[in-house]
Amino acid sequence: MTIDRTKGYVPSNIMKDLIRDNNLLLHAISRFDISFGFGDNTVEQTCRDNNVDVKTFLCVCNLLSGYDYEASEVSLTSLMGYLKRAHTSFLDITLPKIRHHLIDAINYNDSNEVALLLIRFYDDYVVEVRKHMEHENDVIFRYVEKLMNDEVDPDFSISMYSESHDDTVTKLNDLKDIFIYHYQQKDIMRLSGTLLDIIICEKDLLSHFDVETKLFIPLVEKLEKEKRTELTEHPDGGEDESADTPATLLSEREKDIIRGIAQGKSNKEIADELNISVHTVATHRRNISTKLDIHSAAGITIFAIIHHLVDVNEVTPS
């Protein structure tokens, strides 16, 4: 059964036909921890033999290949496993290999200041990528695992994490362009091969970030909504006969933000006082406005006074 491009990949497709259709799916296969040697087996059979959720595998592969994908039945556990193995692939294999080949390809020695600067640029870039991916492993994935076990953190949401990855890819692209358009060297055969590795890595990173942005984050947002709705409706495992006041729906951090707003502080001033980022303050303000259906600083200030979150004497007139 050949690939029907109007439908994308389906369980009955032969696995090797997916690779023939898009060679870069070799990355996805390895990151789902699927063994090679699957012969003429179908996608469904191959996934079953390797204990992989077939719907999650197909969703990722269809997304990476530009086909329509169905995310409603994706396994968040399976997807996080894929993302963690992708991080290992980038940090332990791809990026170190590129560095090794770069040093081998350019005139790298103590007297070549330009080469030293280029390697330093690359090393700084890798540190940034490592910090980002280790934060996902240690903080974001742990948060999601707790959420799946009904441990809801009222002071955190995935929207605080959903930042742009543009800078990460842009810096790698800048390095590639510097070598191609500005770095002069006669023997470039090794360097040309290394630049192709960088181009493939750049595409791989973009695909990885697509999976995070288009699949992972929306799935976590949906889970957050479900868990927080359950918590609101059944705070003690049963129906709450007493009606919640608007103030009880706010987290302690959101109340801190409201106090800052009522005191006439800017987002930066609130961020500095609470030791959080301005972006996080802005996210909290959006969440507060959504919860309270109040969208002006003056309205939030009045709310704060009514619900005793701030004393009227603390309020700074606007």
Side-chain angles (χ1 to χ4, degrees):
M1 180 178 180
T2 57
I3 305 299
D4 184 343
R5 295 178 182 274
T6 63
K7 295 181 179 179
Y9 308 133
V10 295
S12 56
N13 284 141
I14 303 300
M15 180 67 91
K16 66 184 181 184
D17 287 341
L18 271 64
I19 300 171
R20 288 169 177 165
D21 187 62
N22 180 3
N23 291 334
L24 293 180
L25 289 182
L26 286 170
H27 288 311
I29 288 171
S30 67
R31 290 165 190 173
F32 274 104
D33 205 21
I34 293 174
S35 300
F36 290 148
F38 36 72
D40 292 324
N41 285 348
T42 64
V43 171
E44 187 171 31
Q45 180 64 51
T46 303
C47 287
R48 185 163 57 247
D49 290 346
N50 288 271
N51 296 314
V52 172
D53 183 78
V54 65
K55 291 178 180 177
T56 305
F57 175 77
L58 285 171
C59 182
V60 170
C61 289
N62 277 314
L63 170 60
L64 296 181
S65 299
Y67 297 132
D68 290 338
Y69 56 89
E70 177 53 59
S72 62
E73 297 185 60
V74 165
S75 162
L76 200 46
T77 300
S78 181
L79 187 61
M80 281 197 295
Y82 166 88
L83 293 173
K84 289 176 183 178
R85 284 185 286 270
H87 292 169
T88 299
S89 176
F90 284 117
L91 298 178
D92 294 351
I93 301 173
T94 302
L95 294 173
K97 181 183 74 173
I98 289 175
R99 186 184 194 276
H100 175 77
H101 289 171
L102 270 178
I103 291 175
D104 191 44
I106 65 179
N107 296 321
Y108 182 75
N109 56 63
D110 291 340
S111 62
N112 189 339
E113 293 182 0
V114 175
L116 287 169
L117 286 172
L118 287 168
I119 294 299
R120 186 178 302 167
F121 181 101
Y122 181 78
D123 286 345
D124 290 343
Y125 165 77
V126 172
V127 168
E128 185 178 317
V129 174
R130 181 175 295 279
K131 182 179 178 182
H132 173 83
M133 291 186 174
E134 287 181 348
H135 175 75
E136 290 180 351
N137 288 344
D138 298 337
V139 178
I140 304 303
F141 294 153
R142 191 169 299 170
Y143 163 76
V144 176
E145 287 164 357
K146 288 182 177 180
L147 194 64
M148 293 168 70
N149 289 320
D150 298 328
E151 296 180 43
V152 181
D153 183 348
D155 294 326
F156 187 87
S157 69
I158 198 67
S159 62
M160 299 178 192
Y161 154 76
S162 55
E163 59 195 58
S164 171
H165 299 99
D166 291 346
D167 286 348
T168 305
V169 178
T170 298
K171 288 180 181 178
L172 191 60
N173 186 62
D174 285 347
L175 180 66
K176 176 196 67 182
D177 286 350
I178 287 169
F179 274 115
I180 294 174
Y181 303 118
H182 304 288
Y183 185 73
Q184 294 185 349
Q185 179 176 306
K186 289 293 184 183
D187 181 10
I188 63 166
M189 291 188 69
R190 286 195 193 92
L191 182 57
S192 177
T194 304
L195 293 177
L196 286 173
D197 287 340
I198 290 176
I199 290 169
I200 292 172
C201 179
E202 181 184 353
K203 290 181 178 179
D204 194 11
L205 277 169
L206 283 169
S207 296
H208 176 72
F209 295 150
D210 262 354
V211 173
E212 289 183 333
T213 303
K214 296 177 180 178
L215 292 183
F216 178 67
I217 292 175
L219 283 170
V220 177
E221 288 176 334
K222 180 183 177 185
L223 181 63
E224 282 178 333
K225 186 176 180 180
E226 292 172 355
K227 296 298 181 181
R228 286 173 179 164
T229 299
E230 290 174 7
L231 190 64
T232 301
E233 293 177 349
H234 311 289
D236 298 309
E239 288 292 338
D240 185 2
E241 295 178 359
S242 62
D244 282 323
T245 65
T248 62
L249 301 179
L250 298 167
S251 70
E252 290 305 312
R253 178 64 81 200
E254 288 169 337
K255 291 176 183 177
D256 289 337
I257 301 291
I258 287 177
R259 291 186 190 98
I261 295 170
Q263 291 163 357
K265 295 174 183 175
S266 66
N267 282 5
K268 186 177 186 312
E269 289 172 328
I270 296 172
D272 291 342
E273 183 177 286
L274 299 177
N275 196 29
I276 57 179
S277 71
V278 175
H279 172 75
T280 300
V281 173
T283 300
H284 276 306
R285 290 190 70 152
R286 287 195 298 271
N287 291 341
I288 289 165
S289 292
T290 300
K291 285 183 178 181
L292 303 180
D293 198 21
I294 300 174
H295 303 279
S296 68
I300 289 174
T301 299
I302 293 170
F303 173 90
I305 294 170
I306 291 172
H307 291 278
H308 309 293
L309 298 179
V310 67
D311 189 274
V312 68
N313 295 323
E314 298 178 69
V315 174
T316 299
S318 57

